[in-house]
Amino acid sequence: MAETAEKMETAKTEAERIEELEKRLAALERQMPEDRLTLGVISGDLDKVMAAFIIALGARVYDTEVDMFFTFWGTSAMRDPVKRVQKKPIDRMFGMMLPTGTGKLPLSSMQMAGMGPKMMKKVMKDHGVASLEDLMVQAADQGVRIHVCTMTMDVMGLQKDEMIDYPHLDYVGVGNFVDMMSRSRNAFFL
């Protein structure tokens, strides 16, 4: 009898240990990062914004979810060069200093009095490299999500009505970006 009671107690103890291990495993799994890439796009330089989209599309090839957070000078790439909105004088002045859209982005190096981006675009076209605009269309088709920083928009006097039409674009604060990064397997800044 004592032996049977001891076996039952041992079995109960093993079952409790298994249950505890399953709970711990579930807690660890909840903490594991998702198969997601988060890119912080701070620069408004043509070559860096292109690199961000190339990396994003490369990740999508491997079925990795991609979030791109555009902040500070990176928001220039999200401005539509055709859209016009009414602004306060200080916001209008800031807007005149910022590039309007992808076609006006400078290079990070070899600017050469404005000729650098034109030369780079020609060389890329000659080599069959997709333009930034084409990369953005591909990214939209592949479900890459773009998030524009609301604080940056406020500081730089930007408005939602002057941003590009992109199917997966929204406006978030830095807290949302930090949350995205914390859930991502990889995060980079460009």
Side-chain angles (χ1 to χ4, degrees):
M1 224 6 120
E3 191 176 303
T4 305
E6 188 177 308
K7 285 183 181 179
M8 287 176 53
E9 185 63 32
T10 301
K12 181 180 173 187
T13 304
E14 287 176 8
E16 288 172 345
R17 283 198 308 243
I18 290 171
E19 183 180 338
E20 177 62 29
L21 288 171
E22 287 173 344
K23 285 180 184 178
R24 290 173 59 189
L25 179 59
L28 287 171
E29 286 175 340
R30 283 191 299 275
Q31 293 175 5
M32 291 205 43
E34 299 171 16
D35 191 15
R36 173 187 302 252
L37 168 65
T38 300
L39 297 169
V41 184
I42 299 169
S43 172
D45 296 326
L46 174 65
D47 46 326
K48 293 178 182 178
V49 175
M50 282 191 72
F53 276 98
I54 290 168
I55 292 167
L57 288 166
R60 288 300 297 138
V61 167
Y62 292 98
D63 292 326
T64 300
E65 295 295 318
V66 179
D67 291 287
M68 299 176 78
F69 180 73
F70 283 78
T71 189
F72 287 98
W73 312 119
T75 57
S76 296
M78 297 296 106
R79 295 178 70 199
D80 189 309
V82 178
K83 293 180 179 178
R84 299 288 179 251
V85 295
Q86 289 289 348
K87 294 184 175 190
K88 295 183 277 185
I90 190 80
D91 294 341
R92 201 168 41 249
M93 285 183 358
F94 220 129
M96 287 188 292
M97 292 185 283
L98 292 172
T100 305
T102 57
K104 303 282 185 184
L105 297 179
L107 288 176
S108 61
S109 301
M110 302 185 310
Q111 188 61 16
M112 295 184 273
M115 289 303 298
K118 291 177 181 131
M119 291 170 50
M120 179 63 87
K121 289 175 185 177
K122 183 187 179 331
V123 169
M124 288 170 30
K125 184 177 180 181
D126 292 348
H127 285 89
V129 177
S131 68
L132 175 54
E133 295 79 10
D134 290 339
L135 292 171
M136 291 171 79
V137 168
Q138 291 173 32
D141 291 344
Q142 293 299 316
V144 172
R145 292 176 297 274
I146 291 179
H147 312 278
V148 179
C149 178
T150 53
M151 183 211 63
T152 295
M153 290 183 67
D154 290 343
V155 168
M156 294 185 171
L158 302 173
Q159 298 176 20
K160 292 177 183 179
D161 291 342
E162 67 184 293
M163 296 297 151
I164 62 170
D165 295 322
Y166 187 89
H168 316 287
L169 184 138
D170 66 357
Y171 304 90
V172 302
V174 71
N176 294 87
F177 174 59
V178 170
D179 180 58
M180 286 177 228
M181 282 192 338
S182 70
R183 293 183 291 121
S184 296
R185 183 166 289 135
N186 293 296
F188 299 101
F189 291 87
L190 298 163

